[in-house]
Amino acid sequence: MDTLSIVFNLLAYAAASIFIGGLLYRIVQYFNTPSPLKIPGTPAPKTSIGVVFRLLPEILFFRTLLRGGVAEKILWVGGWFFHVSLFFILFRHVRFVTYPVPGFVMAVQQIGLAAAHLFPFALLILIVRRFLNDRMAVISLFQDYFVLFLLLGIGLTGIILKYFLRTNLVDVKAFMLGLVTLSPAPVPHSPVFLIHVILAAILVIYFPFSKLLHAWGVLMSPTRAQTDNPREVRHVAPWAK
Amino acid sequence: MAGKVEAPVLGGKIEIPKVQYGASKDQRVIPAKPDLMQKLNFPSERPPDWRERFLEKMAEVIKKYRSVRLFLDICVRCGACTDKCHFFIGTGDPRNMPVYRQEMMRSVYRRYFTTGGKLFRKLAGAEDLTEQMLEQWATYYYQCSGCRRCSVFCPYGIDTAEITYAAREIMDSIGIGSKYTLEIINKAETIGNNLGLTEPALRNTLDFVEEEIKENTGADVKLPLNVEGADILLVTPSADFFATPHIESLTGYAKVFHQAGVSWTLSSYASEAANFGLFVGNYAHMKAINKRIWDMARQLKVKRVIIGECGHAWRVLYSFSNTLNGPFDFLDSRYKVPQHICEFTLDLAKKRAFKFDKSANDNFTVTFHDSCNVARGSRMGDTPGDQFTMPRELINLTCNKFFDMPEGTIKEKTFCCGAGGGLLTDELIDLRLKAAVTRMQAYKDVKEKHNVNFLALICAICKAQFTKILPYYKYDMEEVGGVHQLISNAIVLGAKEGV
């Protein structure tokens, strides 16, 4: 294998390790941090099953945003379509790391492709809305734009690879399959593909250190995930006995 | 404050202002004096190594509270909260946008607790812990009433109150505290109530209420104090013993108990339902204040504990007291522990234990202000949301004319009165007036549509705040009062509809 292939194989493994290790570390950290008091935002469900039904619409439909005004509705459109397209795009990518490709992965190929078209537009909404009013201008940080443009870069290089500067798919698949089967293969020498991979690696490495942790947030947020039964069940955390 | 304090003009609808940096930077609480800080086990003044101690305390808080750690990490700055806080709507100061209020802590967190912040500093949104930063904390973490309205609109339920209270705890730990809040904590822990009323003073008040009731109704309604063996211990905010209109609700509770024929008592040792320990995020103080109630329940051998009209008191008692000082297996398990006075009254009213003469309230057209801590931090009854329906049911049982304020300003989206969370202090009057603008706008709306002239509620802080600010808005201060004030007016003593 040439140097470039070695570098990219190493990069992929490093990124994956940091992503998985970082996320595990974070999850353990959150689990180990107690919630000393019952602080569900009420009205709140009284049972755990109720909590599941409170969280499901949040995760699937971002329900809370629909409670807000026009700005939140715009955010909802951008945010929801962004996340759903990301999901299908990733799903579509499973074909690069499976052999033979399972039927259900083949089944979402067309949806995944449609999602890839939607993806940059959803991101554009998310970028533009940060300029919509003076409040957004005040609160937006460099890192907010950084992650949006990073995602946009990944999406656009993906589209270029699909339509304009096509890479040999067999080589791509060999490289990707090599990664997951721990038998490294040469990386395709397509500049756009390499950029696509680098950007994706940056995103994945950045994930555990950033606000992208919000993915777990809604599941662990005490105001949303706690039950409202303090009079019936005594809630005690380790340090607060 | 220099200059004349004036209420904002009510334009007819709630307007989101343009951002004005520093618009409310001069609204600050008076710092607590060294001896007061010391009494409450805080450093008497800021030590030379305050930065180290600040960061140590911050590390401790992050380690102890999942809410704080998670909320610091996961905010995506989506902006959904930016126009939801009445302190921002009232002042236009960007630091009063929930996300930007949190940003003060988040930027320090990034700088000292995250890899990205340590490496990339400003580029990663990290800020040094400077004098100016500390000054901002001391200003704007005392411009939040901890009402949780922002949390309702946050996709992750991020609750600024958790951050605000944590920030105050961190500041207390380096000797920077609020005189108003800490004095009250001290009084509650030493005398037994926020107003510092002693047992003889308390007995005097109760005698006065008894005489008033006798004079107005001819009935011998008693307000017992420190009676061992009574069935019910009633704990109310101490303002109920002293302030107007609070005392009208105390009269209402007494009439309800009288008419229900139950034995009850107040306690001079546990003469405070409110718990300002919550407002400074201090677990130990909150627990100590709360403990007095349960110690007294044991000592007086009561079977039930019932809580009077107070918002954050109900949150602490309902949500936290089982954790803080439970379990309460020494009380009668057939009743919820503790019970809200509205739960007690409505339950018996539904069993037709009372006769109400609604016409006694015919001079009132009533609306109801959901107090923040009841609405978003607790529950009444058995079904989520009963904290909204039960007080309204009580009003409808005792009044002929009731109209709700516009959607989006009531129930779980209710606006805070503007003075909760330790802000009910004179030096913040300008801020309090501005923060009340959202509620006043909604009140004006039902006044114009339905001729409403009474703002009913169940919180001592709200009552005190509205009594103070209504005149600034050119409304009569007597337009505010408790739900049990309405019940007090309507309940027919001596008569029963049959039990």
Side-chain angles (χ1 to χ4, degrees):
Chain A
M1 264 199 306
D2 59 341
T3 320
L4 194 69
S5 294
I6 293 169
V7 168
F8 270 80
N9 273 289
L10 285 177
L11 174 69
Y13 285 120
S17 313
I18 292 170
F19 179 70
I20 294 166
L23 271 194
L24 284 178
Y25 175 76
R26 287 298 199 164
I27 292 168
V28 170
Q29 191 182 45
Y30 291 141
F31 265 110
N32 286 341
T33 311
S35 286
L37 294 164
K38 277 278 195 170
I39 57 164
T42 59
K46 292 158 72 178
T47 62
S48 305
I49 294 181
V51 169
V52 172
F53 282 101
R54 182 183 203 180
L55 292 181
L56 267 183
E58 293 294 347
I59 296 163
L60 295 178
F61 303 111
F62 303 177
R63 183 177 60 179
T64 289
L65 287 178
L66 296 170
R67 286 176 179 164
V70 180
E72 285 88 279
K73 304 269 178 359
I74 296 172
L75 168 59
W76 188 90
V77 172
W80 194 78
F81 281 102
F82 161 73
H83 283 89
V84 169
S85 17
L86 180 62
F87 173 81
F88 281 108
I89 292 167
L90 289 176
F91 209 161
R92 181 176 146 90
H93 279 65
V94 174
R95 73 186 169 133
F96 292 116
V97 291
T98 45
Y99 186 80
V101 180
F104 64 92
V105 177
M106 288 313 291
V108 298
Q109 290 304 304
Q110 285 311 311
I111 306 174
L113 197 56
H117 295 128
L118 196 59
F119 190 73
F121 292 101
L123 278 167
L124 274 180
I125 293 177
L126 293 180
I127 291 167
V128 169
R129 63 175 286 280
R130 291 206 171 262
F131 297 93
L132 273 187
N133 61 49
D134 56 352
R135 301 189 305 280
M136 291 308 296
V138 170
I139 65 168
S140 296
L141 299 176
F142 170 77
Q143 61 218 56
D144 300 324
Y145 297 108
F146 170 72
V147 74
L148 286 169
F149 282 103
L150 189 59
L151 284 158
L152 192 61
I154 296 169
L156 292 178
T157 47
I159 287 175
I160 294 171
L161 283 171
K162 167 77 191 171
Y163 291 110
F164 304 106
L165 299 165
R166 295 183 67 96
T167 320
N168 188 335
L169 278 185
V170 177
D171 293 346
V172 171
K173 178 139 187 175
F175 171 66
M176 296 291 284
L177 209 51
L179 286 173
V180 292
T181 55
L182 303 180
S183 44
V187 69
H189 283 40
S190 145
V192 183
F193 176 76
L194 295 179
I195 293 171
H196 188 68
V197 171
I198 289 172
L199 294 179
I202 292 174
L203 180 73
V204 158
I205 291 168
Y206 180 59
F207 199 104
F209 303 97
S210 72
K211 69 170 187 177
L212 299 176
L213 288 165
H214 71 276
W216 304 113
V218 71
L219 289 174
M220 300 198 66
S221 178
T223 52
R224 290 286 153 80
Q226 279 188 344
T227 51
D228 172 27
N229 58 356
R231 289 193 286 193
E232 290 75 25
V233 182
R234 184 158 186 246
H235 170 88
V236 184
W239 67 264
K241 281 205 170 104
Chain B
M1 264 316 285
K4 198 164 156 244
V5 175
E6 274 178 13
V9 179
L10 299 178
K13 69 187 225 297
I14 295 167
E15 303 261 9
I16 307 304
K18 287 273 160 218
V19 166
Q20 302 161 54
Y21 280 95
S24 64
K25 69 175 166 36
D26 297 326
Q27 297 287 307
R28 301 188 58 169
V29 289
I30 296 171
K33 294 234 163 66
D35 61 319
L36 179 60
M37 295 301 289
Q38 213 155 22
K39 275 186 204 158
L40 296 176
N41 300 323
F42 297 124
S44 55
E45 50 199 11
R46 184 145 60 113
D49 62 340
W50 66 272
R51 271 190 191 80
E52 288 72 26
R53 295 223 209 163
F54 183 107
L55 295 171
E56 261 169 42
K57 189 71 189 180
M58 192 165 160
E60 183 193 323
V61 169
I62 291 167
K63 216 173 149 189
K64 279 183 166 180
Y65 291 88
R66 182 186 294 175
S67 54
V68 177
R69 165 165 285 176
L70 198 73
F71 294 163
L72 287 176
D73 278 337
I74 64 174
C75 173
V76 296
R77 287 168 295 284
C78 76
C81 63
T82 53
D83 56 351
K84 305 300 186 291
C85 173
H86 37 275
F87 288 98
F88 175 71
I89 298 172
T91 65
D93 193 315
R95 279 287 178 220
N96 284 328
M97 300 190 291
V99 48
Y100 209 51
R101 192 189 307 287
Q102 297 163 25
E103 184 68 15
M104 294 186 291
M105 185 181 288
R106 210 169 269 126
S107 59
V108 173
Y109 170 72
R110 289 192 199 102
R111 168 66 184 81
Y112 300 96
F113 298 91
T114 70
T115 320
K118 284 176 194 165
L119 289 177
F120 300 106
R121 302 287 170 97
K122 294 247 178 204
L123 192 62
E127 296 283 346
D128 286 328
L129 180 54
T130 58
E131 285 287 340
Q132 291 83 343
M133 178 61 80
L134 185 61
E135 195 164 305
Q136 292 213 22
W137 278 50
T139 306
Y140 294 105
Y141 283 125
Y142 282 96
Q143 294 192 13
C144 166
S145 57
C147 83
R148 319 184 95 198
R149 188 169 195 268
C150 45
S151 175
V152 172
F153 297 93
C154 173
Y156 316 110
I158 295 175
D159 177 9
T160 309
E162 293 290 305
I163 301 291
T164 291
Y165 297 158
R168 293 178 185 177
E169 163 82 337
I170 293 165
M171 287 188 283
D172 281 334
S173 80
I174 58 159
I176 296 174
S178 152
K179 174 174 178 277
Y180 167 74
T181 308
L182 295 183
E183 266 179 0
I184 281 181
I185 290 176
N186 188 41
K187 273 187 260 179
E189 287 180 1
T190 52
I191 301 168
N193 57 66
N194 292 359
L195 293 175
L197 298 169
T198 57
E199 186 180 344
L202 204 52
R203 189 58 259 175
N204 266 342
T205 304
L206 302 181
D207 290 344
F208 168 77
V209 175
E210 286 177 0
E211 282 159 28
E212 285 275 297
I213 299 175
K214 177 82 179 171
E215 207 170 290
N216 294 333
T217 67
D220 277 313
V221 173
K222 294 291 168 213
L223 281 87
L225 184 65
N226 299 331
V227 177
E228 198 177 308
D231 281 346
I232 294 169
L233 170 63
L234 174 73
V235 186
T236 77
S238 59
D240 286 0
F241 303 122
F242 197 71
T244 308
H246 307 65
I247 202 160
E248 303 295 337
S249 283
L250 178 67
T251 309
Y253 317 147
K255 288 181 182 174
V256 163
F257 287 132
H258 174 85
Q259 207 50 26
V262 292
S263 78
W264 68 288
T265 186
L266 290 152
S267 155
S268 56
Y269 178 82
S271 44
E272 182 60 71
N275 192 330
F276 276 35
L278 170 71
F279 299 155
V280 292
N282 189 287
Y283 195 86
H285 285 301
M286 190 160 73
K287 184 170 177 161
I289 294 169
N290 183 267
K291 185 166 182 290
R292 295 178 78 95
I293 293 168
W294 306 106
D295 283 351
M296 208 21 78
R298 277 195 187 83
Q299 202 177 314
L300 292 174
K301 302 188 177 67
V302 296
K303 298 191 177 96
R304 316 162 63 175
V305 173
I306 294 181
I307 309 302
E309 296 176 351
C310 183
H312 82 280
W314 179 240
R315 181 177 180 203
V316 174
L317 280 147
Y318 168 89
S319 291
F320 306 156
S321 53
N322 200 2
T323 300
L324 296 169
N325 290 302
F328 304 125
D329 41 15
F330 59 96
L331 295 166
D332 189 335
S333 61
R334 288 174 301 167
Y335 303 102
K336 292 196 167 91
V337 185
Q339 251 187 320
H340 195 282
I341 186 72
C342 288
E343 294 180 311
F344 177 85
T345 307
L346 186 61
D347 177 52
L348 287 180
K350 282 183 170 170
K351 291 175 181 158
R352 297 163 65 85
F354 308 125
K355 183 168 194 234
F356 294 118
D357 172 17
K358 288 188 177 191
S359 70
N361 283 321
D362 270 353
N363 47 340
F364 295 131
T365 306
V366 182
T367 193
F368 182 71
H369 162 78
D370 293 276
S371 294
C372 53
N373 275 296
V374 177
R376 293 184 282 260
S378 75
R379 171 162 55 85
M380 291 177 200
D382 292 313
T383 314
D386 276 358
Q387 67 267 39
F388 309 134
T389 54
M390 290 175 77
R392 285 174 173 79
E393 277 182 75
L394 281 170
I395 293 170
N396 280 317
L397 282 171
T398 50
C399 303
N400 282 314
K401 293 171 286 181
F402 174 79
F403 298 95
D404 256 321
M405 285 179 275
E407 284 302 316
T409 73
I410 53 169
K411 301 184 180 174
E412 71 177 312
K413 292 180 183 171
T414 189
F415 283 105
C416 156
C417 65
L423 307 187
L424 186 71
T425 172
D426 285 343
E427 69 264 27
L428 294 181
I429 185 65
D430 191 48
L431 181 75
R432 285 164 51 190
L433 278 172
K434 287 174 174 156
V437 70
T438 48
R439 173 50 71 221
M440 287 297 104
Q441 204 78 66
Y443 186 53
K444 186 185 180 203
D445 186 85
V446 280
K447 281 179 92 66
E448 285 174 357
K449 284 192 185 128
H450 306 291
N451 294 314
V452 166
N453 63 359
F454 195 81
L455 183 61
L457 42 86
I458 47 171
C459 173
I461 290 176
C462 298
K463 285 174 194 168
Q465 156 79 344
F466 288 132
T467 310
K468 176 92 179 176
I469 62 141
L470 277 173
Y472 285 94
Y473 280 95
K474 311 281 185 284
Y475 297 134
D476 193 336
M477 63 185 274
E478 285 176 9
E479 291 187 20
V480 64
V483 167
H484 276 75
Q485 177 175 340
L486 298 169
I487 292 168
S488 174
N489 295 341
I491 194 166
V492 181
L493 295 178
K496 295 212 183 221
E497 266 192 27
V499 177

